Amino acid sequence: MASPMNSPGVPSGLGENVLLTKLDDVANWARANSLWPMPFATACCGIELMATASSRFDLSRFGAEVMRFTPRQCDLMIVAGRVVMKMLPVLQRIWLQMPEPKWCISMGACACSGGVFDTYAVVQGVDRFLPVDIYVPGCPPRPEQLIQAVLDLQSRIKSGGTFTGKEFSLRILPEGPPRFEPDEIQRFQDRNELDLKRPTYTPEH
Amino acid sequence: MKELPAEIDYWLRSKLPAAQVSSSSFRGQSRVCVDRPNIWESLRALRDDAGFDMLFELTAVDYLEYEGARDRFGIVYGLLSIDTGKRLIVKTFVNEPDLVLPTVTDLWKSADWMEREVYDMFGIVFTGHPNLKRLLLPTEFTSFPLRKDYPVKGRGERHNFPIITRAES
Ligand code: SF4
């Protein structure tokens, strides 16, 4: 922000009370310092999320302590815990109901990758089906890690955000890993007894 | 006094002469196996005449590739007599083409959700059940995941969702 103290045309005596800045910067400053999280806490990571918000760790020092249990009043989705296939449509619906601009933190090994729950019912990472901005590793992550994630998100909003949110409209491709891992594709082939093996190359001499 | 399973065994045989009954006991747990056509009658007799007035468990076991097993699925009923505090496990077996059993919701109301769960996980159909549909899994699920021939990682059901990109949300 530049001080226009010495600009011509500014009445003397007003100079020190005027700041010039960009609209984007003002919007980013306001957004980054008042994040309203939506606590999507489905498992044990949710306990750590509660600890983060309570007095010992005190997320409110960074302006992100007002958790609302309706998506209409939130702009930061914190997915804390494993998401099963019956819960994923709910998660997607809540995400779509949150007003713009909005961000998503995937907290814990389970939300990021399925964790140890590599079973038929557990979604192997919410980033396969949702756009995730910050990942927090750990099982469960320490509250300090979640606070760090919020700080990272704040610096990200401050550095790249725009007033109209046009940085979101550029993200038109899925950002997560592909739906199927190579070993899963292999198992489908085995189950269907497809013979898609490569022909072996035998040199002629 | 005779051991509980032997006693029940003898008593059931005298009640239902047509039933094939066997019994065993393991670490103080009493088990009685009854063949499938007589399971409902046996359970009714145990409830009305032997005082087992509570069904505390109804579950199933898949014995595929289990050592020494002759049948595919075992259905396990856990009975409790509230007066005496005695517990009794009643088992019966079903095999692959017709996985059908009579419901026991008419004997114990508590069987309702437990039979739905067994149907959900193993695909065993309880005839006469008032509302036999999936309990835990989504209704569009097509397989029965606790069967041993179902892969632990599933058949792609967990990937069958639309992907929401940032631009369209
Ligand atoms: S990452 Fe660990 S603490 Fe978090 S939901 Fe999964 S199992 Fe629980």
Side-chain angles (χ1 to χ4, degrees):
Chain A
M1 297 186 187
S3 173
M5 214 191 317
N6 303 318
S7 309
V10 177
S12 61
L14 197 59
E16 302 221 354
N17 298 317
V18 176
L19 287 177
L20 285 186
T21 181
K22 288 185 291 184
L23 196 52
D24 286 352
D25 286 340
V26 177
N28 293 342
W29 174 75
R31 284 170 187 167
N33 291 307
S34 74
L35 290 169
W36 291 44
M38 159 89 218
F40 195 87
T42 46
C44 14
C45 271
I47 306 296
E48 221 61 15
L49 175 60
M50 292 172 221
T52 314
S54 56
S55 57
R56 183 177 172 120
F57 299 98
D58 202 7
L59 192 58
S60 65
R61 289 177 293 161
F62 308 103
E65 84 282 15
V66 193
M67 307 234 178
R68 288 296 149 122
F69 294 92
T70 162
R72 312 263 182 210
Q73 300 177 349
C74 298
D75 56 5
L76 170 62
M77 163 89 82
I78 300 182
V79 186
R82 44 195 171 269
V83 177
V84 294
M85 51 178 288
K86 214 170 171 181
M87 204 66 187
L88 189 80
V90 179
L91 174 66
Q92 288 188 325
R93 186 167 176 162
I94 287 178
W95 171 255
L96 291 176
Q97 285 177 344
M98 284 167 57
E100 292 279 357
K102 56 193 172 187
W103 297 273
C104 179
I105 289 179
S106 161
M107 175 184 179
C110 291
C112 295
S113 70
V116 294
F117 304 98
D118 194 2
T119 70
Y120 64 95
V122 180
V123 171
Q124 299 298 293
V126 293
D127 54 350
R128 286 173 198 253
F129 306 107
L130 276 189
V132 173
D133 292 289
I134 307 277
Y135 298 85
V136 190
C139 177
R142 295 273 317 161
E144 293 91 331
Q145 280 175 272
L146 186 60
I147 289 177
Q148 183 62 46
V150 171
L151 292 179
D152 287 350
L153 186 65
Q154 287 182 348
S155 62
R156 188 168 165 170
I157 295 170
K158 282 177 185 161
S159 66
T162 54
F163 181 69
T164 51
K166 64 174 178 289
E167 79 272 21
F168 298 129
S169 61
L170 300 176
R171 293 161 63 180
I172 51 172
L173 293 178
E175 294 162 8
R179 288 192 192 202
F180 293 101
E181 308 291 348
D183 71 308
E184 289 195 288
I185 294 171
Q186 185 60 48
R187 276 188 297 112
F188 289 140
Q189 289 177 0
D190 292 349
R191 183 165 63 89
N192 297 326
E193 290 167 7
L194 297 177
D195 194 13
L196 299 180
K197 290 191 197 88
R198 267 191 218 145
T200 47
Y201 172 68
T202 40
E204 307 226 326
H205 26 232
Chain B
M1 185 186 150
K2 272 186 279 187
E3 279 227 316
L4 180 68
E7 193 184 336
I8 292 282
D9 191 333
Y10 179 76
W11 181 83
L12 262 186
R13 275 172 210 272
S14 63
K15 274 266 177 196
L16 299 163
Q20 294 174 14
V21 184
S22 63
S23 64
S24 60
S25 153
F26 181 72
R27 298 199 178 191
Q29 209 185 41
S30 321
R31 298 181 298 201
V32 173
C33 297
V34 184
D35 61 338
R36 185 167 66 146
N38 297 293
I39 183 69
W40 191 87
E41 272 301 316
S42 317
L43 290 170
R44 195 200 54 74
L46 285 168
R47 182 190 74 155
D48 292 344
D49 306 333
F52 287 100
D53 43 10
M54 179 176 162
L55 177 78
F56 68 86
E57 172 156 76
L58 196 168
T59 183
V61 187
D62 187 353
Y63 286 107
L64 183 71
E65 294 171 15
Y66 188 83
E67 213 175 303
R70 274 167 298 140
D71 302 281
R72 174 80 195 266
F73 294 104
I75 316 296
V76 184
Y77 300 85
L79 307 186
L80 169 68
S81 162
I82 292 180
D83 290 340
T84 61
K86 280 181 181 161
R87 281 165 196 264
L88 178 71
I89 304 290
V90 182
K91 275 182 162 187
T92 186
F93 297 96
V94 291
N95 278 304
E96 188 69 77
D98 64 332
L99 300 173
V100 181
L101 272 178
T103 180
V104 292
T105 44
D106 41 2
L107 301 178
W108 294 279
K109 275 276 186 290
S110 63
D112 186 340
W113 280 20
M114 297 195 272
E115 287 186 350
R116 277 176 67 186
E117 188 183 2
V118 169
Y119 166 71
D120 200 356
M121 295 293 171
F122 294 92
I124 291 161
V125 175
F126 294 89
T127 50
H129 190 284
N131 184 23
L132 193 69
K133 58 182 191 194
R134 287 191 181 271
L135 176 66
L136 298 171
L137 294 167
T139 40
E140 62 270 13
F141 210 86
T142 51
S143 15
F144 302 108
L146 282 196
R147 291 189 179 179
K148 294 283 186 230
D149 52 3
Y150 183 82
V152 171
K153 296 184 184 180
R155 294 192 173 138
E157 292 93 346
R158 63 185 182 183
H159 300 305
N160 194 12
F161 295 101
I163 299 175
I164 298 180
T165 63
R166 189 61 185 79
E168 72 196 24
S169 61

